[in-house]
């Protein structure tokens, strides 16, 4: 079914181009080449699984499959654009471009990330009916509820908001793990560790996908090698 969708081939072409680019950069010892790990993960999830388990995709409407691979394409483009900007943002190199006048300290970045994390964490606990222990330690997550649990297929606006908030929460938590290494004060470093550690059991018991751990490591390696 997926091979009948134009967006499948567009996403596959974009993935191939970006993978070749990362391989070339790795050969040149460019730290950006480490993004190859992300592209390999995308390939395994979205371009191998449909052929290993085709029966799971036969029941899906073609327009939904087309939109799904359109989202994969948008992610690949967005990831390629955002990572260099995020690297510059953290490193804070001088620039003559449009971002040249902006300067962000590690403490300010931590404050912004912490506020987003706290807001989403509170919303997640509310979605668990105030069960803090159940939210942080979702032992029965495979069969029970989690902070950002939802149906496997959601077509409503509510489902979209829950999924988006869950992905943002995952990304911000991973980002907090990276920010630990860039804090200048002991208090800021402790705060970043505390926020990251509080939600770590959630990822462990909920079976968070490997991508977020990879993304955390990628951000750390790219930033440290670029600085």
């Amino acid at each position: 079914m997926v091979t009948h969708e134009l967006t499948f081939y567009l996403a596959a072409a974009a993935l191939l181009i970006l993978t070749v680019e990362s391989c070339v950069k790795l050969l040149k010892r460019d730290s950006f080449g480490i993004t190859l790990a992300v592209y390999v993960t995308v390939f395994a999830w979205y371009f191998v699984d449909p052929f290993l388990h085709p029966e799971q995709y036969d029941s899906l409407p073609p327009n939904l499959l087309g939109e799904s691979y359109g989202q994969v394409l948008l992610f690949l483009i967005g990831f390629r654009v955002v990572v260099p900007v995020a690297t510059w943002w953290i490193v804070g190199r001088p620039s003559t471009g449009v971002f040249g006048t902006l300067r962000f300290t590690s403490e300010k970045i931590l404050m912004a990330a912490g506020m987003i994390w706290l807001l989403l964490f509170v919303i997640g606990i509310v979605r668990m009916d105030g069960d803090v222990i159940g939210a942080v330690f979702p032992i029965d997550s495979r069969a029970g509820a989690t902070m950002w649990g939802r149906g496997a297929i959601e077509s409503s606006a509510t489902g979209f908001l829950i999924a988006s908030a869950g992905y943002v929460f995952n990304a911000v938590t991973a980002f907090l793990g990276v920010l630990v290494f860039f804090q200048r004060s002991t208090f800021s470093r402790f705060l970043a560790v505390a926020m990251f550690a509080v939600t770590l059991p959630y990822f462990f018991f909920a079976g968070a996908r490997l991508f977020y751990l990879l993304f955390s490591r990628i951000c750390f390696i790219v930033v440290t090698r670029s600085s």
Side-chain angles (χ1 to χ4, degrees):
M1 290 293 294
V2 296
T3 57
H4 297 162
E5 301 301 323
L6 175 62
T7 52
F8 173 83
Y9 295 100
L10 293 177
L15 181 61
L16 177 62
I17 293 172
L18 293 174
T19 301
V20 171
E21 179 195 32
S22 292
C23 290
V24 172
K25 288 184 179 294
L26 277 178
L27 293 176
K28 294 181 178 180
R29 299 182 181 274
D30 189 325
S31 59
F32 187 80
I34 198 66
T35 52
L36 178 65
V38 174
Y39 301 141
V40 171
T41 304
V42 172
F43 174 75
W45 284 357
Y46 301 110
F47 294 93
V48 174
D49 187 72
F51 296 97
L52 292 179
H53 307 284
E55 69 283 354
Q56 297 181 4
Y57 297 82
D58 290 340
S59 59
L60 298 177
N63 64 316
L64 183 59
L65 290 173
E67 292 177 1
S68 299
Y69 279 95
Q71 293 174 5
V72 173
L73 175 62
L74 291 176
F75 165 77
L76 292 171
I77 297 174
F79 181 78
R80 178 61 183 84
V81 172
V82 169
V83 168
V85 176
T87 302
W88 174 90
W89 185 37
I90 297 175
V91 175
R93 287 184 172 181
S95 173
T96 57
V98 67
F99 298 104
T101 58
L102 298 179
R103 290 295 181 269
F104 299 94
T105 64
S106 58
E107 288 77 13
K108 290 182 179 179
I109 298 174
L110 175 63
M111 183 180 301
M115 291 177 62
I116 297 173
W117 174 88
L118 180 61
L119 175 63
L120 293 175
F121 187 47
V122 171
I123 293 175
I125 293 176
V126 171
R127 295 193 71 244
M128 292 288 292
D129 296 325
D131 185 4
V132 178
I133 301 301
V136 178
F137 298 95
I139 299 177
D140 297 328
S141 62
R142 295 299 183 182
T146 62
M147 288 191 291
W148 304 108
R150 58 186 176 85
I153 300 178
E154 289 280 359
S155 58
S156 64
T158 301
F160 170 77
L161 291 175
I162 293 173
S164 300
Y167 287 132
V168 171
F169 181 73
N170 294 344
V172 170
T173 303
F175 193 48
L176 288 172
V178 176
L179 287 174
V180 172
F181 300 95
F182 298 93
Q183 300 308 304
R184 298 176 181 178
S185 68
T186 303
F187 175 76
S188 297
R189 188 175 295 111
F190 173 79
L191 186 62
V193 170
M195 288 187 290
F196 181 77
V198 163
T199 43
L200 196 59
Y202 164 77
F203 292 98
F204 178 79
F205 289 109
R209 292 182 175 182
L210 184 60
F211 170 78
Y212 300 105
L213 296 179
L214 286 173
F215 184 75
S216 179
R217 290 293 300 275
I218 289 166
C219 288
F220 175 70
I221 294 172
V222 169
V223 172
T224 51
R225 290 194 63 182
S226 300
S227 57

